[in-house]
Each structure stands twice: as C-alpha cells, then as structure tokens.
C-alpha cells in the first residue's frame, strides 16, 4: 500500500517521496528584473535539504506586465535562466526534483499600468479595469508561454506546471464569468488553455511531465463547480496535461453563499473527483500539514502527491519531522542526525 514516503514516478520524473512544496509567491525580487535572488536560493534549497521530494518554484511570469507585482519572478528573458538553473542544481544535490509554475496574472497584475484580460472586467471595484486582449494579442500570448517553457527546459527543470487557477489569465479565459469575448477564444473557452498546453509540450522532452494547476470550484455567485471543471479539465488532458494540481477559488471576491470551508483537507474531495473522473494523477493541496492526514490522503488513494504549503513555510524541515512522526526511516543530512 502506498504512503507519504513511497517513491513515485510519472513519465521520466522519479520522486523519492510524495511530499510536494507547492508554488508560493515570495515577492522578493528586489531589483524588479524577474531574476531569482539569494532569498529564492535559500528558500528552495532549504526545503530540499529538509527532505521534500518535489519542489515547484513559485509563479514565474511570461512578461513583465504578467506579474502580480513587480517583485515576482519572470522567464521572459534568457538573462533570467542562470539564477533558476543554480537553484535547480542545488536542489538536485539534496535529492529533490524541481518544477516551475509558468503563468500570467491577467487582470490581477497589480503593478501593471494597464492589466490585460479576456474581457474588460475588473476583479472588483478596488482593482484596475483591464484591457481586453485582441485576438492577435491572445495568439502572441500563447507564444510568450511557449518561450518561457523553452527557457525553463534550458534551466534544467524536471517538470513544468502551467498555472490555470486562482483567477489568473488562463483561468480568466476558461471561466464564463470573466470571458465574454465574441471571437474564437470566447466561443471556445478552453481554446487559450489548450493552445498553451500544446505549445508547452512542443518545447518539452517527451519524458518530462506537464502539470496544470486548476481551480476546480469557484466561490463567487454564479461561478462554476466540479462538474464544469471536470469537463474543461478533460479537454486540457486531451491537449497534453499529465497531472492536475487541484486547488479552488481566486476568481473574484468570495460570496457569502459560496464561501468555502476552512477545515483541514477541504479541497481533497475535489482532487479525488478529478482523479476518478479523468483517470489521471493529481496533487492535493489545502491544509494538509498534519502528517497523519497527509499520509491518509495517499493511503486512501485520494491523490498521488500531497502539497504542503503553509506548513512548509513555517518549517523547512516538515518532511523530516513528518517521517519521524510516521515512524518512517528516511535519509537525514548527516549534519542533522543528532536532531532525529
């Protein structure tokens, strides 16, 4: 029976355990040039030393105005490759595999002078009204994603994750709430996402898995639910996604009637349903930092991997401590053996 410390393989990606550090923005590019800094190196490598099997680098954007803030990472230039490659190499040294989340914030680009989106609909009254992309600009955006993936491959990453969740640009295109276009990208809400997936796959080695983070449920009035997300995820799978990273929300201010729970594992049922409906591997995320609970998600086959976000922000060595709590013997850095 599989458990949190069972090895896992998907295509050419071999993981020593099922623990994932999910992408979490650090807003720490002080030079505002999109280039990873010392903070990013220390942040990610410490989690590799701490035993995580798979680390996904935070949201990394395909153009300057695609960043949530000017302090975010980018991959719109070859100059941004070396600093990321240095992080990947160091994490590999400590036994972790590394992915990167490629994205564009769309209407949620807070520092952009004029954010862009499928339609000119602001997040709410306190946010800037975005400019609707022209059809030609949408096609150009697909190319920007392709180029960013090409650079990520050159940097040595083990997997690519496309960010299609949390109300960012790809999510904005496949949500009826934010896509009110009348061109080909409005008549087919998944076309933009599918084209990005196909472009990414064209730049990736055949044995490299492509992951996609999706919001499986929206929390605004009239938002889509699990049945709708199963349908668009099916199309994304057919386009080339190998594994889904299941989250939810982020598309707008949460309505009282649609407010999600805050209990542990509140998003696991969404991951379970996507996994079963599409017969595809999934990553579960959302308040799973209790090792017994995280282990149960794997043992009960609700998900294939478990992402530990806030728990790993608090404790870089969460994985080592989880192994001790679950009485699993795993390699501990020799410098830390007296602590375990």
């Amino acid at each position: 029976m599989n458990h949190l410390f069972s090895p896992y393989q998907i295509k050419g990606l071999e993981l020593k355990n099922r623990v994932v550090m999910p992408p979490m923005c650090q807003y720490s590019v002080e030079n505002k040039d999109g280039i990873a800094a010392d903070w990013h190196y220390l942040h990610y490598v410490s989690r590799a030393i701490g035993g995580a099997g798979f680390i996904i680098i935070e949201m990394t954007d395909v153009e300057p105005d695609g960043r949530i803030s000017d302090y975010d990472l980018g991959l719109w230039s070859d100059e941004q490759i070396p600093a990321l490659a240095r992080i990947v190499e160091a994490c590999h040294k400590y036994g972790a595999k590394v992915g990167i989340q490629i994205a564009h914030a769309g209407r949620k680009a807070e520092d952009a002078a004029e954010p862009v989106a499928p339609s000119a609909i602001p997040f709410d009254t306190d946010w800037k009204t975005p400019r609707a992309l022209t059809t030609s600009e949408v096609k150009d955006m697909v190319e920007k994603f392709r180029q960013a993936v090409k650079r990520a491959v050159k940097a040595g990453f083990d997997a690519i994750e496309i960010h299609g969740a949390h109300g960012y640009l790809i999510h904005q295109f496949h949500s009826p709430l934010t896509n009110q276009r009348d061109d080909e990208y409005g008549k087919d809400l998944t076309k933009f996402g599918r084209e990005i997936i196909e472009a990414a796959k064209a730049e990736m080695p055949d044995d490299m898995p492509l992951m996609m983070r999706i919001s499986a449920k929206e929390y605004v009035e009239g938002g889509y639910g699990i049945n709708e997300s199963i349908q668009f995820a099916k199309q994304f799978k057919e386009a080339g996604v190998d594994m889904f990273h299941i989250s939810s929300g982020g598309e707008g201010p949460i309505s009282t009637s649609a407010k999600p729970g805050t209990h542990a594992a509140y998003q696991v049922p969404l991951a379970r349903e996507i996994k079963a409906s599409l017969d595809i591997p999934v990553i579960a995320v959302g308040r799973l930092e209790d090792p017994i609970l995280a282990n149960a998600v794997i043992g009960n086959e609700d998900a294939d991997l478990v992402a530990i976000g806030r728990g790993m922000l608090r404790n870089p060595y969460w994985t080592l401590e989880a192994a001790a709590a679950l009485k699993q013997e795993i390699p501990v850095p020799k410098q830390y053996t007296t602590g375990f």
Side-chain angles (χ1 to χ4, degrees):
M1 182 179 294
N2 290 323
H3 55 81
L4 192 60
F5 290 93
S6 299
Y8 180 75
Q9 181 170 354
I10 176 170
K11 302 183 80 170
L13 176 65
E14 298 181 14
L15 305 177
K16 63 182 181 181
N17 59 46
R18 309 294 183 104
V19 179
V20 179
M21 180 185 184
M24 294 174 285
C25 288
Q26 297 297 292
Y27 307 110
S28 296
V29 182
E30 297 296 335
N31 291 335
K32 300 184 180 182
D33 56 7
I35 297 175
D38 286 347
W39 173 264
H40 301 91
Y41 181 87
L42 295 169
H43 173 65
Y44 291 112
V45 177
S46 63
R47 274 69 184 180
I49 293 171
F54 186 41
I55 294 168
I56 307 177
I57 301 292
E58 67 202 77
M59 180 171 170
T60 302
D61 300 288
V62 302
E63 67 173 2
D65 281 346
R67 294 173 290 180
I68 300 171
S69 84
D70 287 348
Y71 296 94
D72 290 357
L73 294 177
L75 257 180
W76 62 79
S77 167
D78 288 352
E79 294 178 357
Q80 294 156 337
I81 294 173
L84 291 171
R86 176 173 175 253
I87 293 172
V88 173
E89 182 180 3
C91 288
H92 283 170
K93 178 180 178 181
Y94 296 106
K97 299 298 175 66
V98 192
I100 187 168
Q101 186 184 75
I102 305 298
H104 191 293
R107 69 177 186 171
K108 295 177 79 173
E110 299 175 17
D111 287 344
E114 185 180 46
V116 296
S119 303
I121 303 170
F123 185 80
D124 66 18
T125 55
D126 295 328
W127 291 59
K128 299 171 186 174
T129 298
R131 177 180 63 80
L133 291 161
T134 66
T135 303
S136 176
E137 287 174 326
V138 175
K139 296 182 184 299
D140 290 342
M141 190 68 72
V142 173
E143 175 64 15
K144 290 176 182 178
F145 271 86
R146 186 183 73 80
Q147 292 293 337
V149 170
K150 183 177 182 179
R151 294 185 181 101
V153 171
K154 187 173 181 180
F157 285 97
D158 303 293
I160 303 296
E161 179 172 284
I162 298 298
H163 200 347
H166 300 164
Y168 298 120
L169 189 62
I170 296 174
H171 183 171
Q172 291 164 29
F173 268 88
H174 66 238
S175 174
L177 292 172
T178 45
N179 185 346
Q180 298 179 10
R181 303 173 68 91
D182 56 10
D183 67 352
E184 59 193 285
Y185 293 98
K187 294 173 183 176
D188 181 350
L189 300 187
T190 64
K191 182 177 175 63
F192 180 60
R194 294 197 329 268
E195 289 185 350
I196 288 172
I197 292 163
E198 291 164 357
K201 296 289 278 193
E203 297 297 335
M204 296 165 59
D206 291 341
D207 65 345
M208 179 185 284
L210 177 65
M211 302 166 180
M212 187 175 195
R213 198 170 210 187
I214 61 169
S215 287
K217 184 177 182 180
E218 293 184 322
Y219 296 124
V220 300
E221 200 69 42
Y224 65 70
I226 186 64
N227 292 331
E228 292 81 3
S229 63
I230 287 172
Q231 293 307 309
F232 70 67
K234 181 179 179 181
Q235 295 190 54
F236 292 152
K237 177 188 175 183
E238 291 172 352
V241 171
D242 299 299
M243 172 179 262
F244 285 105
H245 192 167
I246 308 301
S247 189
S248 60
E251 73 295 329
I254 296 174
S255 71
T256 302
S257 61
K259 188 174 182 179
T262 57
H263 50 278
Y266 72 102
Q267 295 179 131
V268 169
L270 300 173
R272 181 194 308 126
E273 197 152 354
I274 294 285
K275 177 178 171 66
S277 298
L278 299 184
D279 188 25
I280 192 168
V282 299
I283 305 172
V285 66
R287 301 201 63 188
L288 299 174
E289 60 264 32
D290 183 326
I292 294 174
L293 175 58
N295 193 48
V297 170
I298 300 299
N300 291 330
E301 299 184 348
D302 293 325
D304 301 273
L305 302 175
V306 172
I308 308 298
R310 290 175 177 84
M312 211 169 281
L313 286 181
R314 292 192 298 270
N315 180 7
Y317 311 106
W318 183 94
T319 309
L320 298 177
E321 293 197 347
L326 295 171
K327 303 187 186 314
Q328 295 289 324
E329 291 188 9
I330 66 170
V332 174
K334 63 182 182 180
Q335 298 90 338
Y336 295 168
T337 52
T338 54
F340 291 90

